Amino acid sequence: TALGLDTLIHQRGGSSTEATTTVAMSKEAAGLPPAVKLLIGAGGIYGAFLYYGSLQEDVFRYTAEDGTQFKQAWFLQVLEAL
């Protein structure tokens, strides 16, 4: 190429041939289909947000033995956003 990327790749011990790409693709094809991986990842993110919301609700609704409650919900959310 004009930038000499092939030379740079070979100097670092790599290869830019199609054979390497084909081997990498065949290894990937042996696993789950990409659509299933996407669904698993999206489901995991969605589940994590649901769990986080449940924990946050417990903090905001907590009442101590002396009757005090957590009143600085906005402050906690600002800290979490940092």
Side-chain angles (χ1 to χ4, degrees):
T1 62
L3 298 175
L5 292 176
D6 288 333
T7 305
L8 181 62
I9 290 171
H10 288 293
Q11 286 175 350
R12 294 187 178 205
S15 175
S16 63
T17 62
E18 288 185 27
T20 305
T21 306
T22 305
V23 171
M25 291 176 77
S26 65
K27 287 181 183 177
E28 186 176 317
L32 295 173
V36 174
K37 290 180 183 180
L38 178 65
L39 289 174
I40 291 171
I45 291 170
Y46 188 71
F49 274 117
L50 286 174
Y51 182 63
Y52 173 77
S54 173
L55 293 176
Q56 191 174 33
E57 186 175 339
D58 291 343
V59 169
F60 293 154
R61 291 185 181 213
Y62 177 76
T63 303
E65 292 178 7
D66 62 356
T68 58
Q69 289 184 323
F70 186 74
K71 305 257 188 235
Q72 291 82 15
W74 63 271
F75 181 69
L76 181 60
Q77 290 175 341
V78 167
L79 288 179
E80 291 171 351
L82 295 178

